[in-house]
Amino acid sequence: MQRFKEHMVFKKYIDVITLIGKDGKLRPLKIIWDQENCYPIDHIYSVKNGTSVVGGCGLRYECSICGNRRLLFYERDRWFMESEKP
């Protein structure tokens, strides 16, 4: 029988460079993880209402960041991602 290591997941609020189109839609361009790390968003696969496993809901962007598929959430007036580190 295999045991899987359980991962704690945290809600990490982040800065996001965002384009607001003339139609009013938000398009995230880059995430600023911390003072030293800024990552471009390569591709957005889908945008829909959704909830996070760490709590919170809003617009859920399924996107590619540096070649990795990740979920980015826009909750009311700020952005967050699910992270294994607080």
Side-chain angles (χ1 to χ4, degrees):
M1 181 165 128
Q2 287 184 313
R3 291 185 158 220
F4 295 97
K5 182 179 178 183
E6 290 186 29
H7 293 281
M8 293 282 298
V9 181
F10 300 91
K11 181 188 276 191
K12 176 153 176 87
Y13 288 102
I14 57 172
D15 292 323
V16 177
I17 297 172
T18 308
L19 173 68
I20 302 173
K22 60 184 172 187
D23 58 0
K25 292 184 180 179
L26 298 173
R27 179 178 164 84
L29 303 175
K30 291 183 181 183
I31 66 165
I32 302 169
W33 190 256
D34 53 32
Q35 291 181 353
E36 300 171 4
N37 297 296
C38 179
Y39 304 103
I41 295 174
D42 307 319
H43 184 74
I44 297 172
Y45 298 105
S46 67
V47 181
K48 59 184 177 181
N49 289 320
T51 58
S52 168
V53 297
V54 294
C57 62
L59 286 178
R60 186 186 88 162
Y61 290 77
E62 185 178 357
C63 51
S64 174
I65 301 170
C66 295
N68 296 307
R69 209 173 261 234
R70 298 292 307 264
L71 296 177
L72 174 65
F73 294 88
Y74 184 71
E75 176 186 56
R76 291 188 200 129
D77 58 353
R78 57 188 179 165
W79 296 91
F80 75 90
M81 293 183 77
E82 300 163 344
S83 172
E84 292 183 2
K85 296 180 181 178

